[in-house]
Amino acid sequence: SSRGLSELAVRQALSLSTDRADISQRAYGGKAIAATGTLQTSAAVTQLDASGWTIDPKTGLRSKKGTPLAISILSNQTPANQIAAAALAETWRNLQIQVTVTTTTDSELTARIAARTYDVLVLPIALGADPDPFPFWHSSQVKNPGLNFSGFSNAKVDQLIAAARTTTNETLREQKDAELENQIAEQGPAIYLSQAAYHYALPNELKGVSLTLLPDASYRTFDLPSWYLGEKRSFNAPSN
């Protein structure tokens, strides 16, 4: 694995330099919502320099005490994932980082995920209607078959996840979830790029449809009992 990614400063620099809106547009053609994130390329450069990852005049690439800052990106052959991986590589190469991209079959990807043999993994995840962060961020899920793909381990995060999962107080749960999001944002084990947007064409005469936030495509008919076609006035004479 990349030595550089073990350093918080490097992970933060990669995040700061990532143009989520551009990658979302390239990968999904406007059919996705870019994740929230601050684009500060100059700050990313400053952070890398300050942390000792400076440009070697001989190679033109960043290194630290003779070790190059090299990152490999892994994705499958899904077009959107390939485009996102290529865009990330282009962005990080502009920081004078050595970046390689590997796209592979789903079966090979599954094997490499199980063995955790990658630096950066470009992969969509499904969180569901009531997202549970445990599979993705708890330290007990670092090894296969856990879904903590980044190998992130943080005692504070484990405590927040446990507190949110065991409380029946919705307000307290939201508070713990917000603290959890802040912790993950500060530590930078992942860079969120975009969220899928579902587009449906509906006839004008169809009424009662209330499609707003959908966790996944299966929820598109959740309010089906409220749908109806056409309406007309009716008059009921009072009974004697």
Side-chain angles (χ1 to χ4, degrees):
S1 62
S2 171
R3 172 189 162 189
L5 290 177
S6 65
E7 297 186 19
L8 176 59
V10 173
R11 297 196 301 273
Q12 290 176 336
L14 296 179
S15 180
L16 286 170
S17 66
T18 298
D19 189 338
R20 295 159 176 81
D22 177 65
I23 292 176
S24 179
Q25 177 64 34
R26 286 205 231 176
Y28 296 100
K31 297 179 180 179
I33 303 167
T36 302
T38 304
L39 179 60
Q40 298 182 31
T41 305
S42 59
V45 170
T46 300
Q47 190 140 323
L48 288 171
D49 289 339
S51 61
W53 292 100
T54 56
I55 299 174
D56 184 336
K58 295 180 180 179
T59 64
L61 299 173
R62 292 187 181 274
S63 64
K64 185 176 184 178
K65 297 180 180 179
T67 300
L69 181 51
I71 297 173
S72 63
I73 300 175
L74 176 67
S75 79
N76 64 3
Q77 296 171 343
T78 302
N81 291 347
Q82 290 189 71
I83 293 170
L88 286 171
E90 176 186 329
T91 296
W92 297 341
R93 284 171 185 150
N94 288 336
L95 296 176
Q96 281 67 56
I97 297 173
Q98 180 182 329
V99 185
T100 58
V101 179
T102 300
T103 57
T104 186
T105 62
D106 287 341
S107 59
E108 175 63 21
L109 184 73
T110 300
R112 292 192 59 175
I113 288 175
R116 301 297 197 257
T117 53
Y118 50 82
D119 294 333
V120 173
L121 178 66
V122 176
L123 187 74
I125 57 174
L127 297 177
D130 186 18
D132 180 7
F134 179 86
F136 301 102
W137 299 119
H138 198 276
S139 61
S140 66
Q141 304 301 299
V142 166
K143 295 182 179 180
N144 191 60
L147 301 180
N148 186 340
F149 301 126
S150 65
F152 181 66
S153 180
N154 182 286
K156 176 65 175 177
V157 166
D158 286 353
Q159 293 170 5
L160 290 171
I161 291 173
R165 293 184 105 209
T166 55
T167 185
T168 57
N169 185 314
E170 191 63 28
T171 301
L172 180 59
R173 179 184 174 184
E174 291 177 358
Q175 176 188 332
K176 296 300 181 184
D177 284 343
E179 290 182 48
L180 173 63
E181 289 179 9
N182 289 335
Q183 283 288 321
I184 292 174
E186 289 175 6
Q187 296 298 317
I191 300 174
Y192 294 106
L193 298 177
S194 61
Q195 179 179 352
Y198 299 101
H199 298 264
Y200 297 102
L202 302 172
N204 292 330
E205 60 269 23
L206 182 61
K207 310 296 182 182
V209 181
S210 178
L211 296 177
T212 52
L213 297 177
L214 306 182
D216 59 58
S218 66
Y219 281 75
R220 66 190 182 281
T221 57
F222 81 100
D223 62 346
L224 182 60
S226 300
W227 297 8
Y228 62 95
L229 288 170
E231 55 187 341
K232 64 179 181 178
R233 292 178 179 273
S234 62
F235 177 75
N236 294 324
S239 57
N240 294 326

